[in-house]
Amino acid sequence: MRRWGLLAKEALTQTLTFARFFCLFHVTNHYLWSPTLVFGPSMLPTLNLTGDVILAEYVSHRVGRLGPGDIVFVRSPVDPNKIVTKRIVGVEGDRVTYFKPRNGDSCHTVVVPKGHVWIQGDNLYASRDSRQFGPVPYGLIEGKAFFRVWPPNSFGSLG
Amino acid sequence: MGVRNQLSLFVTFAKEGFEKSLLVGKFFCCLHVVNTYVCTPALAYGPSMLPTINLTGDLVLAERISTRFNKVCPGDVVLVRSPVVPRRIVTKRVIGMEGDRVSYVADPKSSDKFETVVVPQGHVWIEGDNIYESNDSRKFGAVPYGLIEGRVFLR
């Protein structure tokens, strides 16, 4: 009986330590930074097709310090369970000129509405972005990519 | 001797203070996890959801589990991050999910004309219960599902 009590106490202590570690891990992953695996052709040549491990930070989008040129993680407005990586081309009020390379060479200009951003992949030929689904609300931005960790030959910051 | 005593006393106090604040920190951590993943209280005010929610403010409980598992249905009152002002969270009712055909009165104060729209993929159509005083999907269009923050289940 007493042995069970001791065992239970030890299990509880271990669980608490684990829970504390998990808590810290969670807070860092959601509010500071975390490594993320990104893959796909839409951000070539900046990000590789087969997968890069990137450090994403979650501070800038909360304080509103995101601007054109930043690579951001955005929850897709078309599929809410998917997070895509694109570059911000324009913020609210900007006039953005874009073209769809597969649909002839027609250029379109649009003014980004209030509270939205215009995102495009670096590889315009293979990217589903704001040219297809329109400007996305700022609230869908999940984080900003600032550093690449893997593959090691392209280790370095993502300007 | 007196200084050493005082120093050790101070250290004891500091240790106790630290432990207490650690406990408070742990409590806040727990509270935060519950708020983010299970349910959160919210103060909803404004005229756009009359008569369901009062003008001067109602405390509501919103749960975050059904939104995570895509179980939000038409008829639910949800907390949504405004697509126009990203820091603001508004309370509205879901009228249509993706693929639904939604008929609405665009501006009930000026005319009774109905308009119909199909909700695009990945979006929801939200409207306030008080359509005369509500800034909702009739003004800013369907909102992406990812902007839904929680589903209100208790007032």
Side-chain angles (χ1 to χ4, degrees):
Chain A
M1 199 59 198
R2 192 187 285 183
R3 200 190 291 177
W4 278 118
L6 281 172
L7 223 63
K9 207 182 262 190
E10 177 151 348
L12 190 66
T13 321
Q14 297 283 47
T15 318
L16 275 178
T17 317
F18 192 68
R20 253 177 260 158
F21 170 73
F22 205 69
C23 210
L24 193 69
F25 188 67
H26 164 82
V27 166
T28 318
N29 263 16
H30 278 251
Y31 294 101
L32 294 177
W33 66 77
S34 82
T36 325
L37 179 70
V38 299
F39 57 92
S42 68
M43 285 294 288
L44 286 167
T46 316
L47 302 177
N48 291 329
L49 173 69
T50 45
D52 283 351
V53 177
I54 297 208
L55 284 185
E57 57 101 344
Y58 303 104
V59 178
S60 302
H61 79 99
R62 276 181 217 278
V63 294
R65 288 178 59 88
L66 287 180
D70 289 340
I71 302 179
V72 288
F73 299 96
V74 173
R75 192 165 286 277
S76 165
V78 178
D79 184 0
N81 297 323
K82 199 185 294 180
I83 299 191
V84 297
T85 318
K86 301 278 180 266
R87 198 183 289 268
I88 295 183
V89 173
V91 292
E92 67 186 7
D94 286 352
R95 175 159 281 150
V96 171
T97 309
Y98 67 95
F99 77 106
K100 300 185 182 181
R102 300 256 169 100
N103 287 20
D105 271 336
S106 62
C107 254
H108 304 268
T109 308
V110 74
V111 177
V112 182
K114 186 166 176 308
H116 289 64
V117 293
W118 189 270
I119 55 172
Q120 281 182 202
D122 284 352
N123 181 9
L124 295 177
Y125 293 87
S127 167
R128 291 200 70 225
D129 46 35
S130 285
R131 296 169 297 151
Q132 272 80 32
F133 46 67
V136 303
Y138 190 93
L140 286 179
I141 297 180
E142 302 268 324
K144 174 181 160 190
F146 68 102
F147 204 83
R148 185 185 356 226
V149 174
W150 189 271
N153 59 350
S154 24
F155 186 94
S157 89
L158 292 162
Chain B
M1 215 30 116
V3 174
R4 193 184 291 180
N5 268 353
Q6 280 193 350
L7 201 65
S8 71
L9 208 67
F10 174 71
V11 165
T12 319
F13 271 136
K15 226 182 247 181
E16 189 166 334
F18 183 67
E19 270 168 33
K20 286 276 158 66
S21 54
L22 211 64
L23 205 67
V24 171
K26 263 179 251 171
F27 171 71
F28 269 116
C29 209
C30 210
L31 200 70
H32 167 79
V33 167
V34 169
N35 261 13
T36 318
Y37 292 103
V38 180
C39 76
T40 173
L43 181 68
Y45 62 91
S48 67
M49 284 294 289
L50 284 167
T52 316
I53 296 182
N54 287 334
L55 176 66
T56 44
D58 266 351
L59 195 65
V60 298
L61 270 182
E63 53 99 353
R64 300 194 191 264
I65 300 180
S66 37
T67 57
R68 204 169 275 274
F69 292 110
N70 295 359
K71 289 221 180 295
V72 175
C73 302
D76 289 344
V77 178
V78 290
L79 300 177
V80 173
R81 192 167 286 277
S82 164
V84 180
V85 182
R87 285 193 200 279
R88 194 186 297 169
I89 300 190
V90 297
T91 319
K92 300 278 181 262
R93 194 180 291 271
V94 174
I95 304 290
M97 306 291 293
E98 65 186 8
D100 288 349
R101 188 172 296 258
V102 171
S103 293
Y104 62 96
V105 183
D107 194 4
K109 286 190 196 165
S110 59
S111 74
D112 269 337
K113 199 160 55 103
F114 268 88
E115 285 177 23
T116 311
V117 74
V118 177
V119 181
Q121 196 196 3
H123 287 65
V124 294
W125 189 269
I126 56 171
E127 279 182 25
D129 284 350
N130 181 10
I131 55 174
Y132 293 90
E133 285 291 337
S134 170
N135 202 13
D136 48 29
S137 284
R138 296 169 298 147
K139 303 261 170 26
F140 45 68
V143 302
Y145 187 97
L147 285 180
I148 297 183
E149 299 272 326
R151 183 180 73 97
V152 173
F153 67 100
L154 196 65
R155 179 154 52 108

